[in-house]
Structures are given as C-alpha cells and as structure tokens.
Amino acid sequence: MADSLFFTLTAKAPNDRSSLIFRNCPFPSRLLPSKSFSLQLNGSKNKLNVLALSQFSFLSLHRRVGPIRALESDVPHPFQKDSVNFKSTKSYDEWDSLTAKFSGVANIPFLLLQLPQIILNARNLLAGNKTALLAVPWLGMFTGLLGNLSLLSYFAKKKEKEAVVVQTLGVVSIYVVITQLAMAEAMPLLYFVATSVVVGAGLILNFLNYYGMLNTTIWQFWEDFTTVGGLSVLPQIMWSTFVPYIPNSILPGAIAFVIAVAAVTMAHMGKLSEKGVKFVGAISGWTATLLFMWMPVSQMWTNFLNPDNIKGLSAFSMLLAMIGNGLMIPRALFIRDFMWFTGSTWATLFYGYGNIVCLYFFNSISREFFFIATVGLISWLGMALWRDTVVYGYDSPIRTLKELVFGS
C-alpha cells in the first residue's frame, strides 16, 4: 500500500482560496503529522494553509475500505466514495487487526492437516515400502500446488501478509509430499524437475513482488503463466471427476489452454476492452479458487458412488479443514473480497462441514461431535457477520452482504 496522499489544488483567481479535493486512494496506517503547512500556488503570493491529517482526522472524512468487485479483486484495498459514519474508530481498528490475526492462525489447522500424510510417507520410505505412496495421486497434489501458487500471487499483490503466509505454507507442505512421491518413484522424474522449477520460481517472484523488488515485466509474465496454467487445469480436473461415466479425454484442457493463450495475447495487444483486460487479470485468482471449490464436489461425488469409502475419511481432518477455512472468512468479509470470501465459505461449508454431515449420516461419528461442529460453525459465521455490521456502523447485515456481492 503506497504511503502517499494525492490531492488536486485548484485556484480560481489570485485572491481566491483554493480548494483541496481528496482522491480515493490507499492511505497509510501510520499517523501523519498533525501540524499545518503552507503551499504556494503557481508562484502567487497567496499561500494555502493545509492542515495535515492524522489517523483520526482521516477517519472523520468517513473513508473506508470498500467492496472489491469480482473483476477488480486484485486491486489492493480501494476506498469507497460514499460516506459512512463509523460508530467507533477503535472497534473498527480492533476488528481490522483481529481478522488479520484469524487469517494467520489458520496456518495451524492447515499445517496439522498435511503433517499426518508427510509423516506417514516418511515412515513408508524409511521402511522401503515405496508401493504405499502410490495411493497418493501426484496429479491431484500438483493441482493443489498450482492453486496455492496462484492464490499466493493474488494475496502477495494485495499485501495480505497473513494470507500470503497461509498460501506459502500450503505450497511448501504440498511440495514436500510431491518430493516424497518422486523419491518413491510414484511421480515421473521429469515432471518433478519441472514442478521444482515452477515452485522455486513462484516463491522467489512472489516474495520479490511483495517487497516491491520485482520488475513489472517479469511479474506480468508470471501472472500470464498462472492464468494459462490455471485455466487449462480447471476444466480438465472437472471433466476427469466423472470418468468413466464420460469418455476419458484431454480435450477440455486443450481447448481451455488455447482460449487462455488467446485471451492473454489479445490483452497484451490491446484488442480487449478495459473490462476484458480486468477479466483476464482476475482469471488466475478465480481459477485457483474454483479448483479448491471443486475438491468437495469431487469428494461428495466419490461418496455418492462408493458410500463405503466414507468410512475412510478422517473426521478430525474434515474438522481441521472447516476450521482453517472458516478462520479466513471474517477477513475476506471485512475487506469485501468476494473471491476470497466465496472460496473460504465454500470450503468451510461443503468440504469441511459437508463431509462431517456425510460422516454423521453414515454413523461414522458421534452425535455429540456433529452437534458441536454444527453449533460452532453457525456461531462463528453469525459472529463474523454481526461484528462486521457493527464496526461498519450498519443497521443490517443485508447491506454488508450486498456490498460484498455487488460492490458499492
């Protein structure tokens, strides 16, 4: 977020006082000096006295973090034009800080979610039981890795530190599993080398961009890569879910690849409208979100076809998935990031809680476990929506949801 204040000075006449018009712009969280200063206009003798804004005088202008439209979801924290009266500056700042901490704490359940698989793989490798690792699909792991890299780029661009850490942890943990699969020869060596190059380059480029140390052209190339890769993988994964009920084919991925390359090329050649360029720019984030959203659909389809397999699901793992994604919902709601909110809410309800419901119906978990999970989830979502409504000074949560979906 740029620590600068942009304004336009307009002089009507030499003896008239000029007006100061503040633009909608990112605003630093640090306090600005509260002393006044003078500006001399166009060499005239008259000076304009300007009172520098402090954090509290800034809030008196009633500017706030505004809704992020779907096609502009990669823009860091735009400010809403309409005025809003805050009931409490302190409660707003506290909730801002608290939602960021919730996102950071999400690292714990996500790490615990992956650790058992890593430990089990390590034990099998040490015991020389390489065959056991064939049960872990490397293609599915690669898909999750690509999704994490795309979301890492999305959040790095938005300067959401806690979400960046979550996605980085996801990339590293999945890469550890993929390395174990390569060691067990469960993944082709050539694919592993290519994956290693992509992971290394992705981590370096994202962190250089996060700290403003990366050339714009290089970053654009990386965004194009994740756009083409994500859009190619998504329809192929969706198609493969329903094989053998539909023919096994690479056609969906191939068609999507051609469309993605054409869209990116046209965007660079200036053949698209402004909305078209924004749409292409938002593809990588949305495809990554849709990849994660497809995971519960695939799991539920498997449960439907093979009900006995539901007993193989870990209730504790599903609870961790529900908690990890649920912890990020308040932050996504607070900054009005519709894409982030959609992905987190979907994973919470349909992947974590959805599988807990399936486990309960098949008598794989106790009634007490199901009851605690249900009450906890409803209470958490209700608290997040209520608290967000309060800190923004709204009378109804309906306005909060309306802003989230449709923008201001």
Side-chain angles (χ1 to χ4, degrees):
M1 186 176 292
D3 289 339
S4 56
L5 177 64
F6 300 95
F7 50 83
T8 303
L9 298 174
T10 308
K12 296 181 180 179
N15 295 327
D16 290 343
R17 288 194 178 274
S18 301
S19 61
L20 183 62
I21 307 174
F22 293 93
R23 302 296 185 195
N24 295 324
C25 62
F27 209 90
S29 59
R30 296 183 290 276
L31 294 178
L32 294 175
S34 58
K35 296 180 180 179
S36 62
F37 57 92
S38 299
L39 295 177
Q40 189 169 355
L41 302 177
N42 301 326
S44 66
K45 295 182 180 180
N46 295 322
K47 293 183 178 180
L48 172 66
N49 291 324
V50 181
L51 180 64
L53 300 177
S54 68
Q55 187 178 27
F56 294 100
S57 60
F58 158 71
L59 288 172
S60 69
L61 293 176
H62 310 308
R63 300 291 184 188
R64 65 179 182 81
V65 177
I68 299 178
R69 297 179 185 275
L71 296 183
E72 300 173 351
S73 57
D74 59 343
V75 180
H77 304 296
F79 279 73
Q80 183 179 319
K81 296 179 181 180
D82 299 329
S83 62
V84 174
N85 293 317
F86 289 99
K87 288 187 175 181
S88 172
T89 299
K90 183 178 179 181
S91 64
Y92 179 89
D93 292 338
E94 287 177 348
W95 188 238
D96 184 9
S97 175
L98 201 55
T99 54
K101 290 177 181 176
F102 288 152
S103 295
V105 173
N107 282 294
I108 298 175
F110 284 137
L111 180 60
L112 294 175
L113 193 61
Q114 199 67 260
L115 270 180
Q117 186 66 60
I118 294 175
I119 294 172
L120 180 61
N121 290 345
R123 287 177 177 174
N124 286 323
L125 284 173
L126 292 174
N129 185 17
K130 295 182 178 181
T131 307
L133 275 75
L134 294 175
V136 182
W138 71 265
L139 185 58
M141 286 291 172
F142 177 77
T143 302
L145 183 65
L146 183 61
N148 279 123
L149 277 174
S150 297
L151 289 179
L152 174 59
S153 301
Y154 174 77
F155 289 119
K157 189 173 182 179
K158 289 168 61 65
K159 308 300 181 186
E160 282 288 333
K161 181 177 66 176
E162 291 78 11
V164 166
V165 174
V166 170
Q167 298 305 325
T168 302
L169 180 62
V171 170
V172 173
S173 61
I174 293 179
Y175 181 71
V176 170
V177 175
I178 286 180
T179 302
Q180 292 174 326
L181 295 179
M183 293 172 64
E185 300 178 355
M187 178 181 185
L189 181 61
L190 183 61
Y191 291 162
F192 172 70
V193 172
T195 301
S196 300
V197 172
V198 171
V199 170
L203 290 176
I204 293 172
L205 292 177
N206 275 289
F207 284 103
L208 287 177
N209 183 64
Y210 181 84
Y211 290 106
M213 300 168 60
L214 187 65
N215 181 275
T216 306
T217 303
I218 298 176
W219 178 250
Q220 184 62 57
F221 175 81
W222 171 253
E223 285 194 318
D224 292 342
F225 173 79
T226 56
T227 297
V228 173
L231 192 56
S232 302
V233 169
L234 177 62
Q236 189 62 48
I237 293 297
M238 296 173 71
W239 180 274
S240 299
T241 300
F242 302 106
V243 174
Y245 294 93
I246 56 176
N248 189 7
S249 173
I250 62 169
L251 190 60
I255 294 175
F257 174 79
V258 173
I259 294 175
V261 171
V264 169
T265 303
M266 291 176 66
H268 283 294
M269 294 176 63
K271 301 294 184 179
L272 299 179
S273 64
E274 183 179 352
K275 286 187 176 181
V277 172
K278 288 181 178 180
F279 177 79
V280 172
I283 286 177
S284 61
W286 273 106
T287 51
T289 300
L290 291 172
L291 278 171
F292 288 114
M293 289 174 65
W294 189 254
M295 289 175 62
V297 176
S298 178
Q299 182 64 59
M300 290 181 180
W301 175 252
T302 301
N303 295 343
F304 173 75
L305 295 179
N306 304 292
D308 292 337
N309 289 350
I310 191 70
K311 297 178 181 179
L313 283 178
S314 168
F316 182 65
S317 295
M318 294 302 103
L319 181 64
L320 288 174
M322 185 184 79
I323 293 173
N325 286 286
L327 282 169
M328 295 191 290
I329 291 177
R331 184 64 183 175
L333 181 63
F334 177 73
I335 67 172
R336 301 298 190 265
D337 190 325
F338 182 53
M339 189 193 78
W340 190 6
F341 179 84
T342 301
S344 297
T345 304
W346 182 277
T348 301
L349 295 177
F350 294 101
Y351 185 61
Y353 184 70
N355 280 301
I356 289 176
V357 172
C358 290
L359 288 168
Y360 176 69
F361 283 142
F362 285 94
N363 298 318
S364 296
I365 59 174
S366 66
R367 180 180 299 177
E368 291 76 15
F369 185 97
F370 176 72
F371 177 78
I372 293 173
T374 302
V375 173
L377 177 60
I378 294 175
S379 300
W380 177 257
L381 295 178
M383 181 278 299
L385 188 59
W386 166 77
R387 189 61 182 164
D388 188 89
T389 303
V390 170
V391 298
Y392 274 105
Y394 295 160
D395 296 326
S396 170
I398 295 178
R399 181 174 176 182
T400 294
L401 296 175
K402 183 180 178 181
E403 278 189 351
L404 177 70
V405 178
F406 301 106
S408 57

